[in-house]
Amino acid sequence: MMVPDRVEIDAAGDAVLAADQAAALLGVALPAFLADLRAGVVFSIVERGEGADAGTLRLTLRRRGTERRLVVDAATGRVIAAEGG
């Protein structure tokens, strides 16, 4: 699992991963990732931290039987923690 140091934060304040970052995080080649994305077997969820977790985003990626999570600083996009794998 290749964990990025940072992710992009878009204008809406959501975490955005490039396709190559997501593929590497899930441990799959980019063409296979893109095929699965088109087939609808790749899912992502972005959750905003509340309370003690305010100021963070949790990005969850799922592909087939694999799930990875990144906790990201919502202001800078810096990856704070990675889970799964």
Side-chain angles (χ1 to χ4, degrees):
M1 168 175 66
M2 298 279 303
V3 178
D5 293 335
R6 10 187 108 258
V7 300
E8 180 184 341
I9 304 298
D10 70 11
D14 290 326
V16 179
L17 282 177
D20 59 334
Q21 287 179 308
L25 187 61
L26 291 167
V28 63
L30 182 58
F33 173 80
L34 293 173
D36 283 348
L37 189 62
R38 284 188 291 273
V41 296
V42 176
F43 302 92
S44 65
I45 301 168
V46 177
E47 301 168 280
R48 296 185 193 291
E50 297 179 356
D53 295 321
T56 64
L57 300 171
R58 181 169 60 189
L59 174 61
T60 303
L61 292 174
R62 291 187 186 116
R63 176 192 171 264
R64 302 182 185 267
T66 304
E67 181 175 285
R68 303 286 189 262
R69 284 188 198 91
L70 296 178
V71 177
V72 176
D73 181 290
T76 65
R78 184 178 58 87
V79 174
I80 298 168
E83 301 172 357

